[in-house]
Amino acid sequence: MTWQTAWEAYDVPRLWDAVHLEDDPLGWEQVTGLNHTAELLTGHCEGLCAKREAVAHAWQGPAATQMLSRLDGLIAGARAQAVALTVAARGLHGIMTALALARKKIQPLTVRWDEVTSDWIPEFWDEVAAELNDEARTAMLVAAAEVRDHGSHLGAPETLREVGTAAPPPLPGYPPTTSDSPALAGTPQPVPAMSGHPVSMLPIPPGNPYAPGGGAYLLPAPGVGTHGFIVPMAATVAATAVRPSIWRVPKGVPPVIVPVDDSPSLPAPETMAGFHDWFSGLATPWRAVSSRA
Amino acid sequence: MTDDFSSHVVVELGELRDVATWMHLEAQSLDGGPDRLASTVHFGHHSPCGETHLARRHLLSALETHRAGWDHHRQELEAIAAGVERAVDLYAASDNHPPTVDAAVLDPAPDLDPDLDPDLDPDPDLDLNPDLDPDR
């Protein structure tokens, strides 16, 4: 029994946080290890069977019968465990594959998410962000169904161990689980739609005509309103975003020719670094918390 | 009880001893098995997905069950090997009374042949079949 995740409570950056560490090489090593262990046990069973026959040949009598019975039980148990290990390896392989695929699908969506305000005019920002969210949520839905199917083959006992997770927080004002989900340990908790909790937002890098010094576009949501709005980056950081153009003139007369620059001015690296720090702190503060932990 | 063991008993001591030695070595070779079943999960650590969380719990519990099963198997194999060795020792010490020894092998507190040296049994608590009533 588990909860049903309400994926509407997670946007592209949150879903990327959920899957970015998937496809872990250690997980694949574990698949291989389970398979090797199953093979080892299968080979061991074959050896035991041969020795069982040797005992049957070398020793006949009431005590031998009991010994053979005990050996038979040992062989049967080992065979069952070898099969269970093989099935578990297959189940884990399926889970790893499903989550790796979700990661592969969501990774390019994060790139597009970061470029929405550069590639589109503001009238389309909400719509494009919603489409990207839909794609990411669909990827997670598909992965969840695969994980459920493969997880049922892991052969766990009835009493399960608790295991901790460090999932990103849901969007404020959205329940992270469906209403019929049981209340279990580890269930994601809702976040109230009030100030101090990061809402879904798009980055507006410095140089963008709608926020030249950089900023964030807060998408419509509970606590934000039915329309999104732009929050400019702090003026102290924005000030360094202007690229200086210096014309040397011999005398203090106004220049006759003004500089013409058709290419878009690229913010200085330190400006972009400052913007990224600012935006990360605003949009995804839990990342800093989890990296410190 | 003596009637139960008056049937024909065939024992080839050398072959039985070889089997016991093989079992001991095999049990030792299984020592590294649990390391492969390390109880860690390498997926879904940051996922809010209920199914993924459940799969993590399933895998962790399954690994622990396999690990315990592996240890139990190894211990049982060692116990059987010791039981076979004990039987070989008892038979070797009493070539003329195999049916009587057969009864002794089955019974941890048996009516041993008085000619048998009680020191031959290196582990008097070793029970070939723990399900048998030791007081019978």
Side-chain angles (χ1 to χ4, degrees):
Chain A
M1 182 200 293
T2 189
W3 66 84
Q4 293 294 310
T5 308
W7 293 109
E8 296 76 23
Y10 297 90
D11 60 358
V12 168
R14 284 167 172 79
L15 294 177
W16 174 241
D17 278 4
V19 298
H20 78 289
L21 289 180
E22 300 302 340
D23 206 13
D24 185 346
L26 289 175
W28 293 110
E29 279 181 26
Q30 195 169 35
V31 173
T32 306
L34 286 172
N35 272 322
H36 283 171
T37 308
E39 289 167 10
L40 178 70
L41 204 50
T42 302
H44 169 68
C45 284
E46 290 170 6
L48 271 181
C49 285
K51 295 304 172 188
R52 190 250 182 234
E53 293 311 307
V55 171
H57 175 259
W59 188 13
Q60 290 149 29
T65 303
Q66 294 215 1
M67 177 64 80
L68 290 173
S69 171
R70 195 169 169 183
L71 259 176
D72 287 340
L74 186 73
I75 292 168
R79 275 193 174 135
Q81 189 175 4
V83 171
L85 281 166
T86 303
V87 174
R90 203 174 299 147
L92 180 57
H93 185 278
I95 290 168
M96 293 288 298
T97 303
L99 293 175
L101 185 59
R103 181 186 188 280
K104 189 178 176 184
K105 287 178 181 173
I106 293 173
Q107 198 273 336
L109 300 179
T110 65
V111 176
R112 288 167 60 191
W113 180 272
D114 289 344
E115 294 173 347
V116 169
T117 59
S118 303
D119 293 349
W120 300 84
I121 58 173
E123 285 76 5
F124 291 98
W125 289 357
D126 294 349
E127 186 182 333
V128 175
E131 286 175 4
L132 295 175
N133 279 333
D134 282 347
E135 282 188 51
R137 289 164 185 162
T138 301
M140 291 305 290
L141 265 175
V142 172
E146 292 274 317
V147 168
R148 181 176 57 241
D149 290 346
H150 291 293
S152 64
H153 298 302
L154 290 176
E158 286 185 14
T159 305
L160 298 179
R161 269 273 308 274
E162 270 306 325
V163 57
T165 53
L171 292 168
Y174 289 90
T177 58
T178 58
S179 57
D180 56 347
S181 287
L184 302 170
T187 304
Q189 297 301 305
V191 173
M194 52 193 292
S195 73
H197 297 293
V199 297
S200 187
M201 62 187 81
L202 298 168
I204 308 176
N208 187 298
Y210 301 99
Y217 175 68
L218 275 56
L219 290 155
V224 175
T226 53
H227 298 286
F229 60 89
I230 293 175
V231 175
M233 189 166 63
T236 51
V237 180
T240 62
V242 180
R243 190 177 71 175
S245 298
I246 300 171
W247 287 78
R248 296 186 183 282
V249 290
K251 291 181 182 178
V253 295
V256 179
I257 305 170
V258 295
V260 176
D261 189 357
D262 290 335
S263 63
S265 63
L266 294 174
E270 59 270 22
T271 302
M272 287 306 294
F275 168 73
H276 286 306
D277 287 347
W278 172 80
F279 187 76
S280 298
L282 187 70
T284 55
W286 63 85
R287 289 180 183 167
V289 173
S290 62
S291 66
R292 279 199 301 269
Chain B
M1 192 164 103
T2 307
D3 290 342
D4 294 341
F5 298 104
S6 59
S7 57
H8 184 61
V9 174
V10 174
V11 185
E12 291 180 23
L13 298 181
E15 198 164 345
L16 275 186
R17 208 182 290 279
D18 288 347
V19 168
T21 303
W22 179 88
M23 285 178 173
H24 280 305
L25 291 174
E26 192 71 358
Q28 287 170 17
S29 77
L30 296 179
D31 252 351
D35 293 340
R36 299 166 190 258
L37 302 173
S39 298
T40 49
V41 183
H42 301 287
F43 68 84
H45 184 61
H46 294 279
S47 179
C49 173
E51 286 83 357
T52 303
H53 181 76
L54 185 61
R56 280 166 56 80
R57 297 182 66 198
H58 270 151
L59 179 62
L60 197 60
S61 304
L63 288 173
E64 288 186 350
T65 303
H66 284 305
R67 196 181 171 101
W70 188 280
D71 285 340
H72 174 77
H73 176 85
R74 205 164 46 80
Q75 289 165 7
E76 176 74 352
L77 183 60
E78 285 279 16
I80 290 177
V84 172
E85 279 177 341
R86 176 173 180 263
V88 169
D89 288 342
L90 289 170
Y91 284 127
S94 179
D95 276 348
N96 297 327
H97 305 83
T100 311
V101 174
D102 213 44
V105 168
L106 281 172
D107 193 337
D111 299 319
L112 286 175
D113 188 315
D115 294 332
L116 278 178
D117 180 357
D119 293 334
L120 278 175
D121 185 357
D123 181 4
D125 294 329
L126 180 64
D127 186 355
L128 193 64
N129 188 340
D131 294 329
L132 289 177
D133 180 0
D135 297 321
R136 70 177 179 169

